[in-house]
Structures are given as C-alpha cells and as structure tokens.
Amino acid sequence: LLKVLSRIDSILRSPRAPPLIFRPSKGPVQNYIKENGQGCGFEHLPLTIEMWADQLVALKDLHRSLRKLSLELLPWNTKDPLDNRESILVEDLQMIVDAILEELEQKEKNSQTQSLQTLSAMVSHFQKLFDVNSLNGVYPRMNEVYTKLGEMTNAMRNLHELLQLDSSAPPTVVVDTVGKLCDIINKNVTEQVQQLLGTQDIHSIINKLEEHECFFPPFQALIQDLLCLLEISNMDEILPAVQNLK
C-alpha cells in the first residue's frame, strides 16, 4: 500500500498533474502516514478517481454523439478509426471535431461562391430584359423601372375605381371595359351627328356635308363684305344697319 501511495504521490506532485488534486490530510490517516515515512494525504482521492472513471465513460458517449454528427455531415466518411479501440482519447475526439469544422468551412466557402454566381446571373438577366449595356447602367434602369411600375400601379388603381371594378381584376378586364366604353361613346356620337343633320343615312350625311362646303364659303364672303360696307364688326348688327338705310 505504501508503495502504491508513494507512486500516486509522485504522479500528483509532477508538473503534469491537475491542480488542487493534492491536499494535506488531517486526522488518524495523516498520523499513520507520518509514522510510515509518508507526508501526503489522499482522503479525497477515491472520489476523484471515481469522477475520472465517469469522465472516461462519458468520453465513449461523447464519441457516439460526435460519430452520429460526423455521419450526418460527412456521409462518405463511414470508416471510424476508433471502432476497435477499448479506450478513447480526447485527442481522437478532437480529430473528429476538426474534420467536421473543416467540412463546414468548406461548405460555407462553396455557398459564398454559389451566391456570387447566382447574383451575377441575376444581373445579366436584368441587363437582357431591360436592355442595359453596362453594369453602371443597372442602378439607373432599376430606378426607372421602379418609377414606371409605381406610375402603372397608380393608373391601374385609379381605373379600377373609375370603372367600379374589383381591385383584383386583371389588366385584361380593365382594357376590355375601357374598350366597351369607347364603343358606347362612339355610338352615341354617331347618333348625335345623325340627329343633328336630320338623317340616318350615311350617304345623306355625306351629301349634306358637301352642300355645306359649297354654300358656306360664298356666304362667309358675303357677310364679310357687308360688315366692311356697313362699317360694323358684329353679324347681329347687319340687319339694324340695313334698316337704317331705308
């Protein structure tokens, strides 16, 4: 027992020993050790050894968890160098963690590269759609497209309200409704012209317009001559001026 205690004492006193492991013992055990030439106490050592044993078991559990994580992130790495080992070292677990971290860093670099490629493709597609020749013209054209889109949105909203359409009505419905209104207006204008000219026949309308073109210029010339001759400026004054000449 003394030889074992001496060996433990030499280990605990070494520079590699964890701190606060060695504590001077008190009581009968200390007196017994002093009588046999030993000067260190180990009353707490069984608890420490039990804790270490639990930690060694926990290393196996930690290894299983890291192994599952490794298979999830590195499915091609199915071989585990620790499968046939009875004892597992912290260094072995650190190797698994380092491999996982390296893979994550590589994936992050690849994702950044893919993001740059995707962004470049989006910019090129925008240039083709909106006829932009250079990268410097992308932002101005974006602003222009945004402004035009806002104007179009406002115009469509106003048309929906004026035409009393539902806000979800597509542009085709708006165009059809405007077309119907134009047809109604054109029909009303035609009817009003026909009523004004007193005819329903288009050929009669043409004849009346031709008669107007033949009659109006000489009539206008006659009126102008009368205004100059009578020295008046308003056509309504012609009749009173002629009556005064009688």
Side-chain angles (χ1 to χ4, degrees), residues 19 103 111 185 204:
E103 178 64 19
S111 65
I185 292 173
S204 298

Side-chain angles (χ1 to χ4, degrees), residues 81-205:
L82 308 180
D83 285 340
N84 299 324
R85 269 197 205 174
E86 294 183 359
S87 61
I88 298 175
L89 302 178
V90 175
E91 290 82 355
D92 300 326
L93 301 181
Q94 186 64 44
M95 288 179 60
I96 298 177
V97 174
D98 290 341
I100 294 174
L101 291 176
E102 183 178 357
E103 178 64 19
L104 291 177
E105 291 176 357
Q106 188 65 31
K107 285 185 177 180
E108 184 178 358
K109 291 180 181 179
N110 293 336
S111 65
Q112 291 177 353
T113 302
Q114 293 176 358
S115 299
L116 290 176
Q117 293 175 351
T118 303
L119 181 60
S120 177
M122 291 174 62
V123 173
S124 299
H125 188 61
F126 180 88
Q127 289 182 267
K128 291 179 181 178
L129 287 177
F130 298 100
D131 193 22
V132 182
N133 297 325
S134 64
L135 291 177
N136 293 332
V138 170
Y139 280 111
R141 186 56 58 87
M142 281 185 175
N143 294 332
E144 181 181 350
V145 170
Y146 178 79
T147 302
K148 294 295 184 182
L149 179 62
E151 294 176 354
M152 185 72 68
T153 302
N154 292 333
M156 292 299 295
R157 185 186 301 111
N158 293 333
L159 285 174
H160 279 95
E161 293 178 356
L162 291 174
L163 300 174
Q164 297 182 352
L165 296 175
D166 188 79
S167 59
S168 61
T172 53
V173 175
V174 176
V175 173
D176 291 340
T177 305
V178 172
K180 292 178 181 178
L181 286 177
C182 291
D183 293 338
I184 293 173
I185 292 173
N186 291 334
K187 183 178 179 180
N188 290 337
V189 170
T190 302
E191 292 178 352
Q192 291 175 3
V193 171
Q194 290 174 349
Q195 293 176 1
L196 179 64
L197 298 177
T199 178
Q200 301 295 324
D201 185 4
I202 188 65
H203 294 291
S204 298
I205 295 175

